[in-house]
mmCIF file of all heavy atoms in Angstrom:
data_model
loop_
_atom_site.group_PDB
_atom_site.id
_atom_site.type_symbol
_atom_site.label_atom_id
_atom_site.label_comp_id
_atom_site.label_asym_id
_atom_site.label_seq_id
_atom_site.Cartn_x
_atom_site.Cartn_y
_atom_site.Cartn_z
ATOM 1 N N TRP A 249 -0.893 -5.928 -8.402
ATOM 2 C CA TRP A 249 -1.080 -7.305 -8.805
ATOM 3 C C TRP A 249 -2.567 -7.742 -8.672
ATOM 4 O O TRP A 249 -3.045 -8.478 -9.541
ATOM 5 C CB TRP A 249 -0.170 -8.268 -7.963
ATOM 6 C CG TRP A 249 -0.132 -9.625 -8.542
ATOM 7 C CD1 TRP A 249 0.565 -10.102 -9.609
ATOM 8 C CD2 TRP A 249 -0.865 -10.789 -8.051
ATOM 9 N NE1 TRP A 249 0.372 -11.431 -9.780
ATOM 10 C CE2 TRP A 249 -0.539 -11.858 -8.872
ATOM 11 C CE3 TRP A 249 -1.800 -10.899 -6.986
ATOM 12 C CZ2 TRP A 249 -1.152 -13.133 -8.628
ATOM 13 C CZ3 TRP A 249 -2.329 -12.182 -6.819
ATOM 14 C CH2 TRP A 249 -1.987 -13.231 -7.626
ATOM 15 N N PHE A 250 -3.230 -7.300 -7.622
ATOM 16 C CA PHE A 250 -4.633 -7.603 -7.382
ATOM 17 C C PHE A 250 -5.540 -6.740 -8.276
ATOM 18 O O PHE A 250 -6.737 -6.747 -8.133
ATOM 19 C CB PHE A 250 -5.021 -7.436 -5.942
ATOM 20 C CG PHE A 250 -4.474 -8.449 -5.018
ATOM 21 C CD1 PHE A 250 -3.827 -8.051 -3.804
ATOM 22 C CD2 PHE A 250 -4.551 -9.852 -5.245
ATOM 23 C CE1 PHE A 250 -3.359 -9.027 -2.950
ATOM 24 C CE2 PHE A 250 -4.024 -10.760 -4.422
ATOM 25 C CZ PHE A 250 -3.402 -10.349 -3.263
ATOM 26 N N LEU A 251 -4.965 -5.920 -9.111
ATOM 27 C CA LEU A 251 -5.637 -5.031 -10.058
ATOM 28 C C LEU A 251 -6.511 -3.933 -9.311
ATOM 29 O O LEU A 251 -7.482 -3.481 -9.819
ATOM 30 C CB LEU A 251 -6.546 -5.843 -11.030
ATOM 31 C CG LEU A 251 -5.853 -6.847 -11.880
ATOM 32 C CD1 LEU A 251 -6.854 -7.655 -12.715
ATOM 33 C CD2 LEU A 251 -4.844 -6.224 -12.733
ATOM 34 N N MET A 252 -6.044 -3.571 -8.136
ATOM 35 C CA MET A 252 -6.694 -2.506 -7.402
ATOM 36 C C MET A 252 -6.008 -1.178 -7.649
ATOM 37 O O MET A 252 -6.595 -0.112 -7.439
ATOM 38 C CB MET A 252 -6.638 -2.765 -5.915
ATOM 39 C CG MET A 252 -7.501 -3.925 -5.473
ATOM 40 S SD MET A 252 -7.546 -4.186 -3.730
ATOM 41 C CE MET A 252 -8.519 -2.750 -3.215
ATOM 42 N N LEU A 253 -4.812 -1.216 -8.193
ATOM 43 C CA LEU A 253 -4.065 -0.044 -8.620
ATOM 44 C C LEU A 253 -3.462 -0.244 -9.984
ATOM 45 O O LEU A 253 -3.200 -1.367 -10.370
ATOM 46 C CB LEU A 253 -2.969 0.243 -7.599
ATOM 47 C CG LEU A 253 -3.237 0.504 -6.136
ATOM 48 C CD1 LEU A 253 -1.906 0.630 -5.352
ATOM 49 C CD2 LEU A 253 -4.002 1.743 -6.003
ATOM 50 N N ILE A 254 -3.214 0.855 -10.634
ATOM 51 C CA ILE A 254 -2.499 0.796 -11.920
ATOM 52 C C ILE A 254 -1.157 1.539 -11.723
ATOM 53 O O ILE A 254 -1.217 2.704 -11.315
ATOM 54 C CB ILE A 254 -3.297 1.451 -13.026
ATOM 55 C CG1 ILE A 254 -4.558 0.671 -13.205
ATOM 56 C CG2 ILE A 254 -2.492 1.514 -14.320
ATOM 57 C CD1 ILE A 254 -5.569 1.351 -14.191
ATOM 58 N N CYS A 255 -0.090 0.894 -11.966
ATOM 59 C CA CYS A 255 1.226 1.525 -11.861
ATOM 60 C C CYS A 255 1.694 1.904 -13.173
ATOM 61 O O CYS A 255 1.810 1.139 -14.097
ATOM 62 C CB CYS A 255 2.239 0.446 -11.298
ATOM 63 S SG CYS A 255 3.821 1.169 -10.897
ATOM 64 N N LYS A 256 1.939 3.242 -13.340
ATOM 65 C CA LYS A 256 2.300 3.808 -14.577
ATOM 66 C C LYS A 256 3.795 4.182 -14.669
ATOM 67 O O LYS A 256 4.225 4.860 -15.533
ATOM 68 C CB LYS A 256 1.462 5.065 -14.850
ATOM 69 C CG LYS A 256 0.024 4.736 -15.078
ATOM 70 C CD LYS A 256 -0.767 5.978 -15.448
ATOM 71 C CE LYS A 256 -2.167 5.607 -15.679
ATOM 72 N NZ LYS A 256 -2.990 6.820 -16.054
ATOM 73 N N THR A 257 4.515 3.770 -13.583
ATOM 74 C CA THR A 257 5.963 4.193 -13.599
ATOM 75 C C THR A 257 6.797 2.879 -13.489
ATOM 76 O O THR A 257 6.460 1.857 -14.048
ATOM 77 C CB THR A 257 6.245 5.068 -12.402
ATOM 78 O OG1 THR A 257 5.941 4.413 -11.208
ATOM 79 C CG2 THR A 257 5.501 6.363 -12.491
ATOM 80 N N SER A 258 7.974 2.998 -12.827
ATOM 81 C CA SER A 258 8.913 1.915 -12.795
ATOM 82 C C SER A 258 8.388 0.709 -12.004
ATOM 83 O O SER A 258 7.412 0.862 -11.277
ATOM 84 C CB SER A 258 10.182 2.426 -12.140
ATOM 85 O OG SER A 258 9.944 2.669 -10.735
ATOM 86 N N PRO A 259 9.076 -0.453 -12.049
ATOM 87 C CA PRO A 259 8.713 -1.612 -11.322
ATOM 88 C C PRO A 259 8.779 -1.376 -9.784
ATOM 89 O O PRO A 259 8.022 -1.957 -9.025
ATOM 90 C CB PRO A 259 9.773 -2.640 -11.677
ATOM 91 C CG PRO A 259 10.230 -2.184 -12.997
ATOM 92 C CD PRO A 259 10.145 -0.727 -13.056
ATOM 93 N N ALA A 260 9.527 -0.340 -9.368
ATOM 94 C CA ALA A 260 9.539 -0.018 -7.968
ATOM 95 C C ALA A 260 8.211 0.630 -7.520
ATOM 96 O O ALA A 260 7.825 0.625 -6.374
ATOM 97 C CB ALA A 260 10.672 0.971 -7.636
ATOM 98 N N CYS A 261 7.525 1.172 -8.488
ATOM 99 C CA CYS A 261 6.152 1.599 -8.356
ATOM 100 C C CYS A 261 5.876 2.728 -7.424
ATOM 101 O O CYS A 261 5.410 2.517 -6.268
ATOM 102 C CB CYS A 261 5.217 0.379 -8.055
ATOM 103 S SG CYS A 261 3.536 0.759 -8.462
ATOM 104 N N ASP A 262 6.068 3.935 -7.889
ATOM 105 C CA ASP A 262 5.533 5.142 -7.231
ATOM 106 C C ASP A 262 4.250 5.358 -8.050
ATOM 107 O O ASP A 262 4.241 6.028 -9.052
ATOM 108 C CB ASP A 262 6.504 6.281 -7.386
ATOM 109 C CG ASP A 262 7.171 6.704 -6.126
ATOM 110 O OD1 ASP A 262 6.692 6.305 -5.003
ATOM 111 O OD2 ASP A 262 8.191 7.389 -6.223
#
Side-chain angles (χ1 to χ4, degrees):
W249 189 81
F250 290 131
L251 302 177
M252 293 183 71
L253 298 176
I254 298 172
C255 187
K256 293 184 178 182
T257 60
S258 71
C261 199
D262 252 339

